């Protein structure tokens, strides 16, 4: 029979004339069409033909189907989903043969900037639910090499882990954008520019009521060579930085709606806001907005650095902890040298986040939101666990606006809430932003990761520090993609589903717990019930 596994890894033998592809042709999983047999794509002289070896499914894949064109990264249909991918070079265009060879292995940084436009693998670029794909020269910098000995599944799982790491490495501006546009709005009585007098935007919209403050700004702008425009920005204009002077919720809501991507909104008020502010949490997550404030009459004081790493020895709450990403955040927190002293994990489905107690006994407490009953009783349990102090850090991996609202109420002074789960732009939560101005509370949100993030996670996997195979809960072949996506949507498994697109034989969606009844020789090679290199090798020997 020869070395089937070796032949697969090296892409030995002739390539197929056709390959199979799943395409989402419209919103809704019922519009997933395939797996259609199509002619194998032919790469150009400066392109690669790549084979998708493993694809891990993500709740983001389900959101593509649910939201359709309302998803911020979907520009049209059809879509080939799958952005958590490991792949192998199958054919190299003549102009790339000095740099690449068949058998070279890579993982994909899903978010790419191509010709100045943000694109994403598995969203507006064809993704991993296809056996093969062609990658052009502009996409090649987003390939991160992996060793030949690294497992296909664990390599694919580097992408979600990189997103986890990126959530704690985000940075936010501590000044107005240089050569950007600022909107100063509200009262302004008694407010000083402070260190902001040293910042140099290009333009300032001066829209304040206090004549003395307005005069101070005019004098500063004249001396600094900053263009000054009287009144609010015109309809359709965007600003890089908005500063609301005084407790004016309507102004804050309007300011947030005007922010450009990566923009900041500062709330400067010595008094409380009279009502909650409706905040677009979808934009906070996807557009990298920063919302902060100060109770001092000093604009620069609002722009203190925002902490994104967990508080050493602090109190952490993870919402959606029973899912794969909630578990990833918990595992990361437990493995940190200076991690939280206590972690509370909650999940609406009642799924416990795993046996992490063995890593740090006494640190982790699990609460089933279903068993706690209503939100008031859950809040009381959380209050008891923190002694009324609240949480220093809250990570929300549940895509639920009500979870975002409930979590905000539990932040301690100086606490940070990480909106890891993405909700559509336009999803608004009502928050009392007095906490942001007077208690130093901050909310951060990130989407995706960078090549550097992915490379660092790759290194941790290949050194054995990180073991993403332990998060695999089920496996499947390409034919089972619809069932696998429905399982993600239903939260059927506590961990990740990995699809192997190039298996020769069919493999239905199969829990690792049930694997012995489907592929007993593969099940025999699990590592105490966990996915392993040995199990993966046996799977490929059996079905490729």
């Amino acid at each position: 029979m020869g070395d089937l596994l070796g032949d697969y890894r090296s892409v030995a033998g002739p390539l197929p004339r056709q390959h199979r592809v799943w395409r989402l042709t419209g919103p809704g999983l019922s519009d997933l069409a395939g797996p259609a047999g199509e002619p194998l794509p032919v790469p150009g002289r400066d392109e690669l033909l790549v084979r998708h070896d493993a694809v891990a499914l993500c709740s983001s894949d389900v959101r593509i189907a649910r939201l359709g064109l309302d998803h911020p990264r979907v520009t049209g249909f059809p879509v080939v989903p799958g952005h958590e991918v490991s792949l192998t070079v199958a054919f190299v265009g003549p102009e790339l043969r000095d740099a690449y060879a068949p058998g070279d292995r890579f993982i994909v940084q899903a978010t790419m900037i191509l010709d100045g436009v943000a694109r994403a693998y598995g969203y507006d670029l064809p993704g991993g639910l296809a056996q093969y794909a062609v990658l052009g020269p502009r996409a090649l910098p987003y390939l991160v090499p992996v060793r030949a000995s690294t497992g296909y599944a664990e390599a694919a799982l580097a992408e979600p882990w990189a997103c986890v790491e990126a959530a704690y490495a985000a940075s936010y501006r501590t000044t107005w954008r240089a050569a950007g546009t600022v909107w100063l709005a509200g009262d302004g009585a008694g407010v000083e520019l402070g260190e902001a007098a040293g910042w140099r935007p290009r333009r300032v919209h001066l829209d304040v009521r206090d004549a003395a403050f307005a005069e101070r700004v005019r004098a500063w702008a004249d001396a600094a060579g900053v263009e000054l425009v009287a009144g609010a920005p015109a309809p359709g204009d965007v600003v890089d930085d908005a500063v609301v002077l005084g407790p004016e919720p309507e102004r804050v809501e309007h300011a947030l709606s005007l922010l450009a991507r990566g923009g900041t909104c500062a709330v400067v008020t010595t008094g409380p806001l009279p009502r909650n502010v409706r905040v677009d949490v979808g934009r906070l997550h996807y557009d990298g907005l920063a919302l902060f404030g100060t109770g001092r009459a000093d604009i620069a004081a609002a722009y203190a650095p925002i902490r994104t790493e967990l508080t050493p020895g602090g109190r952490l709450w993870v919402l959606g902890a029973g899912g794969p990403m909630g578990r990833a955040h918990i595992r990361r927190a437990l493995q940190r040298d200076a991690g939280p002293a206590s972690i509370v994990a909650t999940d609406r489905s009642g799924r416990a986040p795993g046996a992490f107690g063995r890593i740090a006994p006494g640190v982790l407490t699990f609460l089933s939101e279903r068993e706690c009953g209503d939100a008031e009783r859950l809040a009381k349990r959380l209050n008891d666990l923190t002694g009324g102090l609240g949480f220093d850090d809250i990570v929300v991996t549940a895509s639920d606006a009500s979870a975002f609202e409930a979590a905000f109420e539990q932040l301690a002074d100086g606490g940070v809430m990480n909106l890891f789960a993405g909700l559509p732009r336009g999803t608004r939560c009502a928050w009392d932003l007095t906490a942001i101005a007077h208690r130093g509370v901050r909310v951060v949100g990130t989407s995706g990761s960078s090549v550097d993030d992915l490379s660092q996670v790759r290194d941790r996997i290949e050194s054995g520090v990180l073991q993403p195979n332990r998060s695999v809960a089920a496996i499947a072949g390409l034919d089972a993609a619809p069932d696998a996506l429905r399982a993600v949507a239903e939260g059927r498994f506590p961990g990740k589903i990995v699809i192997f697109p190039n298996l020769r034989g069919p493999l239905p969606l199969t829990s690792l717990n049930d694997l012995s009844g489907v592929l007993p020789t593969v099940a025999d090679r699990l590592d105490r019930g966990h996915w392993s290199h040995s199990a993966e090798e046996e799977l490929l020997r059996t079905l490729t």
Side-chain angles (χ1 to χ4, degrees):
M1 294 181 60
D3 183 4
L4 297 179
L5 179 58
D7 289 348
Y8 178 83
R9 284 178 168 163
S10 62
V11 200
L15 294 171
R17 294 183 177 180
Q18 289 198 322
H19 77 133
R20 296 181 301 150
V21 182
W22 283 101
R23 283 190 171 85
L24 190 66
T25 59
L29 291 177
S30 60
D31 288 323
L32 190 65
E38 302 179 0
L40 193 70
V42 178
R45 295 185 58 81
D46 58 353
E47 295 179 326
L48 299 178
L49 177 69
V50 298
R51 182 188 67 199
H52 293 134
D53 297 302
V55 185
L57 296 184
C58 170
S59 58
S60 294
D61 298 315
V62 174
R63 281 198 289 274
I64 293 172
R66 285 178 174 166
L67 300 176
L69 297 180
D70 290 333
H71 193 289
R73 291 184 174 177
V74 175
T75 58
F77 287 107
V79 172
V80 180
H83 60 280
E84 300 176 1
V85 179
S86 63
L87 53 81
T88 300
V89 174
F91 182 85
V92 182
E95 294 179 13
L96 297 176
R97 287 175 184 168
D98 288 341
Y100 299 91
D104 289 348
R105 293 192 48 208
F106 297 93
I107 46 181
V108 181
Q109 167 52 42
T111 302
M112 307 177 182
I113 304 297
L114 306 182
D115 296 326
V117 177
R119 309 289 298 277
Y121 209 76
Y123 295 84
D124 57 348
L125 297 174
L129 289 186
Q131 290 180 294
Y132 290 84
V134 168
L135 295 181
R138 289 183 293 277
L140 301 184
Y142 297 93
L143 298 182
V144 175
V146 297
R147 297 174 184 168
S149 58
T150 302
Y152 294 117
E154 66 180 356
L157 289 167
E159 198 279 340
W161 268 99
C163 293
V164 171
E165 291 297 334
Y168 298 99
S171 61
Y172 296 87
R173 282 188 289 110
T174 56
T175 66
W176 295 333
R177 187 185 300 278
T181 301
V182 177
W183 180 30
L184 297 176
D187 185 4
V191 176
E192 298 295 336
L193 287 171
E195 292 182 6
W199 304 342
R200 293 294 181 266
R202 178 173 61 88
R203 176 188 298 125
V204 171
H205 290 271
L206 183 59
D207 182 24
V208 298
R209 295 186 294 274
D210 185 75
F213 176 76
E215 185 54 38
R216 289 196 295 274
V217 173
R218 290 189 190 98
W220 161 77
D222 184 61
V226 174
E227 177 188 355
L228 205 62
V229 179
D237 285 352
V238 297
V239 300
D240 299 295
D241 302 283
V243 182
V244 178
L245 306 169
E248 303 186 22
E250 294 82 5
R251 290 265 197 176
V252 177
E253 290 165 348
H254 187 41
L256 288 169
S257 72
L258 295 183
L259 291 182
R261 185 178 179 87
T264 74
C265 178
V267 181
V268 180
T269 175
T270 57
L273 277 74
R275 66 166 174 84
N276 288 353
V277 174
R278 304 285 293 175
V279 176
D280 187 337
V281 292
R283 289 208 65 206
L284 281 178
H285 177 85
Y286 285 110
D287 291 349
L289 305 185
L291 174 60
F292 40 67
T294 180
R296 297 166 53 189
D298 178 350
I299 289 175
Y303 286 80
I306 297 177
R307 174 179 61 81
T308 54
E309 186 54 89
L310 298 176
T311 303
R315 300 174 298 276
L316 167 65
W317 178 20
V318 179
L319 291 81
M325 300 317 297
R327 290 170 175 235
H329 281 277
I330 291 172
R331 184 176 292 278
R332 181 188 186 278
L334 290 172
Q335 290 180 339
R336 286 188 59 77
D337 291 337
S342 65
I343 302 173
V344 176
T346 63
D347 193 274
R348 286 191 171 181
S349 70
R351 299 171 301 181
F356 289 125
R358 292 194 298 268
I359 300 175
V363 173
L364 181 65
T365 300
F366 173 67
L367 297 179
S368 167
E369 295 180 40
R370 181 183 300 169
E371 293 176 5
C372 286
D374 58 28
E376 185 176 340
R377 278 186 284 181
L378 174 62
K380 184 179 184 305
R381 290 291 305 277
L382 295 170
N383 189 67
D384 291 341
L385 287 168
T386 65
L389 296 175
F391 292 91
D392 302 295
D393 295 280
I394 297 177
V395 178
V396 187
T397 67
S399 299
D400 186 312
S402 64
F404 288 11
E405 289 189 342
F408 188 88
E409 298 298 321
Q410 293 289 333
L411 283 167
D413 290 355
V416 176
M417 182 163 73
N418 184 327
L419 305 182
F420 187 81
L423 289 169
R425 290 187 180 94
T427 304
R428 289 175 169 79
C429 288
W431 290 335
D432 181 2
L433 297 192
T434 304
I436 282 179
H438 287 246
R439 297 201 294 113
V441 163
R442 298 290 183 260
V443 179
V444 300
T446 57
S447 177
S449 59
S450 68
V451 170
D452 286 344
D453 295 323
L454 191 62
S455 299
Q456 290 171 19
V457 169
R458 182 269 322 268
D459 292 345
R460 294 178 65 199
I461 291 172
E462 294 185 340
S463 67
V465 172
L466 186 63
Q467 298 174 319
N469 274 339
R470 292 183 174 273
S471 67
V472 178
I475 60 172
L478 190 62
D479 288 342
D483 190 23
L485 286 167
R486 284 192 295 269
V488 173
E490 297 163 3
R492 203 183 304 168
F493 298 102
K496 298 289 286 187
I497 297 172
V498 177
I499 288 180
F500 294 89
N502 279 280
L503 299 181
R504 173 173 45 82
L507 175 62
L509 178 61
T510 305
S511 165
L512 297 192
N513 294 331
D514 300 328
L515 194 58
S516 60
V518 179
L519 292 170
T521 61
V522 177
D524 288 344
R525 288 164 172 78
L526 296 177
D527 179 11
R528 291 173 291 180
H530 297 295
W531 193 244
S532 68
H533 288 191
S534 180
E536 187 171 270
E537 289 177 349
E538 180 63 17
L539 172 70
L540 296 173
R541 287 192 193 97
T542 304
L543 292 180
T544 59

